[in-house]
Amino acid sequence: GENVEQHPSTLSVQEGDSAVIKCTYSDSASNYFPWYKQELGKGPQLIIDIRSNVGEKKDQRIAVTLNKTAKHFSLHITETQPEDSAVYFCAATLSGAGSYQLTFGKGTKLSVIP
Amino acid sequence: DTGVSQDPRHKITKRGQNVTFRCDPISEHNRLYWYRQTLGQGPEFLTYFQNEAQLEKSRLLSDRFSAERPKGSFSTLEIQRTEQGDSAMYLCASSLRGLQETQYFGPGTRLLVL
């Protein structure tokens, strides 16, 4: 089955700096890669996703890049703000092939220091 | 708010008791998923429904766990003879069959087994 590794497990940045979280996946057939933000006591909230036919996607301060050859994808947050502090999870799945379970990484706790 | 809702939000029970959780998906979403999340980990897939049919179950779903979605709308997850190892956050997500397949998560039910 799919295995997703996520690094780093914790990340502290100064407000206004950029943050980068990296994930690798094992199943080359995976084609859908969402990123979720989880605040304390809440469920995961989708912040951005990317499909295997796209190399990069951007939404305001958030961007995701995908390298299918290396089986690697990354989340980039620019101009970080204190409200960006949360746990971020990457996930992977083979969408459209009858199995829709997401396999998650172990998460990155991001702290943005004012 | 028309997001995924879960009830109860918190449940404390004694070992050996049965518990039941409810999930109401986003209206018109025909796919519904259950995940389990333990402290410091990403969500792990348990099971998935398309309409009322349970199409996939993880090996994590022991015979003490049963899930239903009787009319293709809300779903219940029951744990019989709870064990301390069942203590976790139980998350429900829903998606609309189609090209996007984005999974939207509810706030979760936090279970503590004493």
Side-chain angles (χ1 to χ4, degrees):
Chain A
E2 177 64 275
N3 183 53
V4 176
E5 300 280 342
Q6 183 173 346
H7 299 279
S9 56
T10 60
L11 179 60
S12 291
V13 299
Q14 290 292 135
E15 182 178 358
D17 287 350
S18 296
V20 179
I21 303 170
K22 299 181 179 182
C23 290
T24 59
Y25 60 100
S26 62
D27 188 348
S28 57
S30 289
N31 62 0
Y32 175 60
F33 308 92
W35 285 88
Y36 288 87
K37 174 184 180 181
Q38 188 173 30
E39 297 175 333
L40 198 61
K42 298 184 178 180
Q45 177 189 6
L46 180 77
I47 55 172
I48 195 166
D49 56 11
I50 192 167
R51 299 182 184 275
S52 59
N53 57 348
V54 175
E56 184 174 358
K57 183 176 178 181
K58 190 173 181 180
D59 182 4
Q60 299 182 350
R61 296 186 297 110
I62 295 173
V64 57
T65 59
L66 171 64
N67 183 328
K68 287 166 48 181
T69 303
K71 290 186 285 185
H72 171 275
F73 58 115
S74 300
L75 177 72
H76 304 252
I77 306 174
T78 59
E79 302 172 12
T80 53
Q81 301 168 2
E83 51 265 38
D84 294 330
S85 295
V87 179
Y88 291 80
F89 292 97
C90 61
T93 190
L94 174 54
S95 177
S99 175
Y100 300 92
Q101 59 173 286
L102 292 172
T103 300
F104 284 82
K106 291 189 174 183
T108 296
K109 183 176 182 181
L110 173 65
S111 299
V112 179
I113 304 165
Chain B
D1 186 283
T2 57
V4 178
S5 61
Q6 293 187 244
D7 185 69
R9 294 291 309 279
H10 304 273
K11 179 70 178 180
I12 300 174
T13 191
K14 293 182 179 179
R15 189 175 50 188
Q17 297 295 305
N18 299 343
V19 294
T20 300
F21 309 141
R22 175 178 170 128
C23 170
D24 286 89
I26 293 172
S27 179
E28 298 180 354
H29 277 195
N30 54 355
R31 290 191 168 135
L32 186 148
Y33 314 78
W34 286 99
Y35 290 81
R36 182 174 70 185
Q37 185 178 27
T38 53
L39 206 60
Q41 302 294 317
E44 295 175 292
F45 172 80
L46 293 178
T47 190
Y48 140 67
F49 291 84
Q50 180 165 301
N51 300 314
E52 65 276 7
Q54 188 173 18
L55 297 185
E56 194 170 357
K57 291 194 289 187
S58 162
R59 65 183 186 281
L60 293 175
L61 209 68
S62 75
D63 56 6
R64 296 184 299 104
F65 287 69
S66 63
E68 294 182 342
R69 195 183 183 198
K71 296 184 179 179
S73 57
F74 72 92
S75 175
T76 58
L77 177 68
E78 181 183 18
I79 309 174
Q80 296 182 327
R81 305 180 304 280
T82 52
E83 302 173 355
Q84 288 184 327
D86 297 331
S87 296
M89 172 84 90
Y90 290 85
L91 293 162
C92 176
S94 70
S95 70
L96 181 63
R97 180 181 179 182
L99 292 178
Q100 295 303 316
E101 296 290 359
T102 301
Q103 294 185 26
Y104 297 92
F105 282 82
T109 294
R110 182 166 294 284
L111 172 66
L112 177 60
V113 181
L114 301 176

